[in-house]
Amino acid sequence: MFVFVCAGCGAELTAPLSRVALPAHAHQVYGNGVQLPVLMEPGTFAVESEPWGPAWRSREKGAPDAEAVRGGHASADGLLSGDVTDSFVIAPGDTRGTVLIPEKCSGYCCGLDGADGPNMACEVCGLPVASRIDDCSLWQAVWLAPDAVRPHAVGDATPAPLSWADVTAAAVGTPPYEPIASWGGRRLGLYHWWSWSPRWEAAAGRALAHLLAASGGRPVSVPHGLTAEIFQRALDALPSTDGPTLHAALAGPDLPAPDTDADLLLVPEHPQTGEPWAPAGGTSAYPVPLPLGVWLWLAFPEPHLPADPPPQALPTELLRDDPPSPLPGRPFQIDAGVFRHTLQRLSAACDRKPDHGGDPRGTAPLRPQSPGAESAPA
């Protein structure tokens, strides 16, 4: 457990917090005018080790040197991430002893967007220490400025991460669809509709980047059912080279041993460490990380009961008095922003230099860095 204190005066700025992996949807921008919930669970914090913040163009004067320093993490339209690194993100309700800085409270479409830099200051000494973000289409969070706060350990013992058995016993699956809240203008006010979960779209965008980077451009197939509904349409739309199709399979705790013929494994990542699950005996297949809640629903899907139960008796655990959730009215869509963000940061994807004049046949799958490296705690 840690309490973050002000680097200027030492005042406590947060409640006691435990470290978890950075969510895949941490920087997701979803829809227009959408109300997104709080990013972090109460009592937790995560670390963002990659540069992020308001984007700026890499092709402006003096930008090439900056782009080289950042390892070429530029998008196709020439945008680079901001220069904030090793920042800490917490739930807004876990802040203590802070006040808003009025002249830094940019946004106001529906809230604060943090584009003007830290908008929260230490109540004791006035040092800018954090950015509160709660504007529409952004996940609500407080990002602590790394140069303005210090983590202070609470207690003497450092508990080991939970075992996979303990993690899965307490975990709850993340439903693939959920009601989305948005503003419909002055006349309509706040309204809701049923949609695919933003968490799923972000998780699929990150996983698709790993699938593409690991495939070396070869075709990839995934298991039938919901997994295929999530990934296969996007995989089939990506340009591919000649060569045998690579096969992805679901693998993880409480599932049978993964197929030895599988080239890629869709596995859960540990919610505390961000490390992907791995079979006890090891495997040569490339692990593609999924948030635990998303993986649980793919591996052990919950039944979708009809509105009118069948005449035959149902098991007691399936008898429910609430109607089933409606299905989304559109096909699943990968979050393109999360996909690009992840793909640009996979070392193999950045190092890869396609030779359009060569023969792509027989290309072996690429082996990017550990899938948890971009989000796993140090």
Side-chain angles (χ1 to χ4, degrees):
M1 301 292 287
F2 293 87
V3 169
F4 288 89
V5 300
C6 175
C9 66
E12 292 189 0
L13 302 176
T14 71
L17 307 171
S18 59
R19 185 171 181 176
V20 297
L22 184 73
H25 51 281
H27 302 303
Q28 183 183 33
V29 179
Y30 184 83
N32 181 26
V34 173
Q35 275 191 323
L36 290 177
V38 174
L39 174 67
M40 302 298 296
E41 292 292 330
T44 66
F45 76 96
V47 181
E48 172 58 278
S49 58
E50 291 284 352
W52 75 279
W56 51 280
R57 292 202 170 272
S58 64
R59 295 183 178 88
E60 294 176 353
K61 183 178 179 181
D65 292 338
E67 181 177 356
V69 170
R70 293 167 186 269
H73 291 168
S75 61
D77 56 3
L79 292 179
L80 284 168
S81 299
D83 57 0
V84 179
T85 58
D86 296 323
S87 52
F88 310 99
V89 61
I90 66 174
D94 284 329
T95 57
R96 303 288 187 271
T98 58
V99 293
L100 285 173
I101 306 173
E103 60 271 19
K104 293 289 187 178
C105 292
S106 62
Y108 290 127
C109 174
C110 304
L112 309 177
D113 61 11
D116 286 344
N119 55 27
M120 300 177 69
C122 172
E123 189 175 26
V124 176
C125 68
L127 179 69
V129 293
S131 293
R132 168 71 184 264
I133 295 178
D134 56 16
D135 207 350
C136 59
S137 300
L138 302 175
W139 288 87
Q140 299 179 43
V142 168
W143 291 85
L144 301 174
D147 57 348
V149 301
R150 295 194 309 268
H152 175 69
V154 178
D156 297 330
T158 302
L162 296 175
S163 67
W164 275 108
D166 292 335
V167 165
T168 53
V172 177
T174 303
Y177 26 80
E178 62 185 64
I180 303 296
S182 179
W183 285 271
R186 295 180 179 178
R187 181 179 301 178
L188 296 177
L190 188 66
Y191 72 101
H192 300 76
W193 74 92
W194 206 262
S195 176
W196 291 100
S197 168
R199 294 176 178 86
W200 275 67
E201 295 186 4
R206 188 183 65 172
L208 180 65
H210 282 279
L211 288 169
L212 176 60
S215 71
R218 287 160 56 182
V220 176
S221 67
V222 297
H224 296 295
L226 182 58
T227 307
E229 186 176 2
I230 298 302
F231 290 107
Q232 198 62 62
R233 188 166 64 98
L235 287 168
D236 293 342
L238 294 172
S240 60
T241 63
D242 294 336
T245 298
L246 301 178
H247 298 283
L250 281 166
D254 301 325
L255 283 181
D259 189 346
T260 56
D261 295 332
D263 305 289
L264 309 104
L265 297 179
L266 297 165
V267 299
E269 62 178 4
H270 198 285
Q272 292 175 301
T273 67
E275 290 296 323
W277 177 89
T283 179
S284 60
Y286 177 86
V288 177
L290 288 169
L292 179 59
V294 172
W295 178 87
L296 280 172
W297 200 281
L298 289 175
F300 308 101
E302 297 187 16
H304 184 80
L305 299 182
D308 297 321
Q312 64 269 25
L314 290 175
T316 303
E317 62 270 15
L318 296 184
L319 290 176
R320 299 172 51 153
D321 59 3
D322 57 320
S325 55
L327 296 175
R330 61 170 176 81
F332 184 84
Q333 295 177 355
I334 299 286
D335 190 297
V338 176
F339 169 74
R340 289 192 298 267
H341 177 90
T342 305
L343 190 62
Q344 290 159 8
R345 283 152 179 80
L346 291 174
S347 60
C350 291
D351 295 338
R352 182 182 177 193
K353 297 179 177 61
D355 182 4
H356 300 290
D359 187 354
R361 291 174 293 182
T363 303
L366 294 176
R367 296 291 177 183
Q369 64 185 30
S370 170
E374 69 266 27
S375 59

